[in-house]
Every structure is written in structure tokens, then in C-alpha cells.
Amino acid sequence: MIHVADEAKIACSCFAFGETELRFESRDRGWLSLLHRRYRGFEVPSRSEAFVIRFEPMATALPPDLVSPLAPRLESVHCRPTAKGYRVRTETCEGEIDLSARTALLRGPSAMYPLDNLLRHLLPLLWEGLIAHSALVEDGARRGFLACGPSGAGKSTIARLARSRAFSDELTALRFREGRPESVALPFWNARPGSFPLRAVLHLRHARARHGLARISSGESLKRLASQTLWPIWSEEAMARVFACLAELATEVPAYDLSFVPSEDVWSFIDEEVP
Amino acid sequence: MVICFAFVEVTQSRIRKAAGRSSSEEGAMGLRRAAHVAWRRVGEETVLIHLRDKKIYVLNPSGGFFWHGLDGSRETEQFLFSLSSKDRLPEGASDWIEAFFGELRKADLVEVDSGSMARNAGALPEFPLAAFVPPELIWQQELRNFGASCSFLPGESEPCSSVPTT
């Protein structure tokens, strides 16, 4: 639901990305309605302690290669520290993040991709753990499988084959709570809210003929996870925090190399083979 | 005894050379882990991240032994002494160790602590392997907020390529 705030017809909507609550404010109702389509299921009541992102639409045309205002469009992001936070700039949009005031101002075309690019840098700064380029699938017993790998490795495919057990197919937030690994689905790209203790990490790759599963060492798992982590590279403090979480994840959670063919039986195979 | 002293002198000379120091600078030779490096032991390996250069490094178990000992309170030669006393140093070992310290310095992972020699060196942990293995930086990678992602939203974006990633 879009709420109309008092201030000069600015409307707002609030969503939860894990336990990070973001309140989006804008005069652009069309943009706010895009949020509701993209983040469907992640809406929460507006709360005063939420991090506020205010969007100001720029009167520029959408990039011609953009199929829809909802479509992702990855642009090179230039980020530099400021007195209060960070200034983020891409080819077509710009943002100011004020970490102490817990606000951000975003300017760009009235589409979702400027926000995608801002969140890619903001969320790792706000989350007390790490954000992995991975799908999250529940194992049927309220524990989570983290399925990760670079673009093309099969995250979307493995999530699609998991059907109702899939919770996200692109980004998952991870942290340790009382020493136990917890995974949280983030609303990218096809996702629904869910949070589970983590059972295993699956490092994905495609197979030509048959499924295969092999345990890998904690060191190997860390190397692979390191390249699939959203590193908050502009903050040394946040980098150190993410690194601590990554090392704990690689040490504490069993990891496997999963080669799979995109067939319906892949999750039966995983359920049987992963101890 | 004469042989032992000769070995020590040659070793000290080599390490001074590797570190780019002369014997006149002796007393300022305590290498320590740089403050801008975070590190953890993960399994048998030791993982470092250079927080300023945004790079991650992995050391083999032997490299981890030397890294853990780099607390600034000891001369680098002491590593050799601790190993040589156990007859674990094959010929050429000092060269490998020098090269390893050189790599750490080149990657800006260690720094020289000029005041460190006033402190007492603690005991080194036991070398983790049965035989000497050259310490090495075995893997490194630049850290990034990755920028490429397949992102298919039915009806809103193009389907992802199904080309397997190698």
C-alpha cells in the first residue's frame, strides 16, 4: 500500500530486506507502484526507524535498451566517500547516502534499475553480515540451501526447479546469530520472504549428462564465496565485518560442488546426497 | 659450531638483502602484519584481505605459520632458527622464505615496526607440517561489488543465457 505523507504530496512505501527496513518516499506514484510489483510480499508497515530512500525522478528518457521500467540494467557504479556517507553515480543516475541520518537521496529515470544499483552498494553497508550472489531454497525441514555461482551457473534454474521451496534466485543475506548461520531471502529477482538456519552451501555448475555432488574444503568454499559476495568496498570497517562472516560461513557450513542437469529430479538428488 | 654460525650469518645476510635492508639498519627489522590487513585461519589455510587494495589472498599452511609469527617482536631470522634447530630446513629453504617475505612486502601485507625489537618475542607455534614446505601465497583475487548478473523477470526482461559458465 502506498501511504501519502504530509509533506507536499510525497507518498511512501515500506519494505523489509531481511531485518533492514527501507522506507521509500517520492512524488512519483508510478515509481512507487513499480516497487510494489518488484517487492511484492516484502511490504511492511511504515516505521520511524526505517532507513529512508527518497527518489526524485529526472526528466530524462529511459535508456532505449530497457525493455521495461521494472527490468534490471546494470551500470558501472562510481562511489566515493563523503563527510556523512557516500556519493554514488552511474551513467544515468546519482545518489547521496547519509549513513548517520539513515537517509539516501536517489535521482534518475523513473525505473527500478537506479534503485537496484544503489541497493547493491547500500545493503552490504547496512546488513550485519554478508550478501551473497545466490539462490535460497528451503530443504523441506525449515533449513536453507544456499545455491551460489556466477551468472550462468544455474541459480535461476535451480530455484525454478525447487518450485515452492525456492525463496530467492539472485541475492541472499547471511549472518550468524548466536553462532548459528542464518539465511534470509532478499527480493531479487523472483523472491518471497523467508529466513532459515543454513544447512549447506551448494556451488553450482552445469553438467552435461548427470548430477554430481562432491564435498569441498572450507578453504575452497571461501575462495568461491569470495567472488560471489557483494563486498562493501568503500568501507574498510564493513569489509572487515563481511570478511569475518565469510570466514565463519566457510568454516562452519558444509559446502559442496554441485554439477547438475536441469531436470526435475535434481532436488531429489540433492536431498538424498547431502548429509 | 663453526658451521652453525656460518649458516646463521649467511641466512641473516640473505634476509637483509630480501627485505632491502643493510646490516647497519639492524634493530629495525621486525616485520609485522600490516594494520590494514584482516586475516583468519580457514581450515588449513590462512586467508588475508587487504582492506585498502580490496584484495583477498590465501596462504598455504606453511605460509600461515610464518604469517602468524609476524607480530613485529622477532627478527625474521628467528623463524629460520626455530626451524633449523629441528633439522627441518632443506637446502634452499632460506631462499624460499626470503621470497615469501618479499611477496608479502610487495603486496603491502606486512610493514616494518621500528620499535618492535624492544619487545620480547613470544614462542613460535609448532610448524604445522611434518616436513618443510615452502611458504606460498597460493591464491589471490580482487574483491568487488560484482557487477554482472543474470536477471530474468518474466515479461519484464530478456531470458538469461543458458550457456554454462566455466
Side-chain angles (χ1 to χ4, degrees), chain A residues 179-236:
Chain A
R180 282 186 285 191
E182 184 182 73
S183 52
V184 182
L186 295 179
F188 304 90
W189 305 106
N190 300 291
R192 59 199 173 102
S195 173
F196 309 99
L198 199 56
R199 177 175 169 186
V201 177
L202 307 174
H203 294 280
L204 304 178
R205 60 191 172 94
H206 287 278
R208 298 201 183 280
R210 52 187 291 189
H211 310 312
L213 189 83
R215 181 82 189 256
I216 60 173
S217 70
S218 51
E220 180 61 26
S221 182
L222 182 137
K223 289 179 204 167
R224 298 192 194 186
L225 284 165
S227 61
Q228 299 305 321
T229 296
L230 264 72
W231 288 95
I233 53 175
W234 306 104
S235 163
E236 291 183 18

Side-chain angles (χ1 to χ4, degrees), chain A residues 14-34:
Chain A
C14 206
F15 298 87
F17 292 63
E19 288 183 1
T20 303
E21 293 187 357
L22 302 177
R23 189 169 79 240
F24 299 96
E25 300 180 346
S26 184
R27 292 184 178 83
D28 184 344
R29 305 289 177 85
W31 185 79
L32 288 170
S33 69
L34 294 177

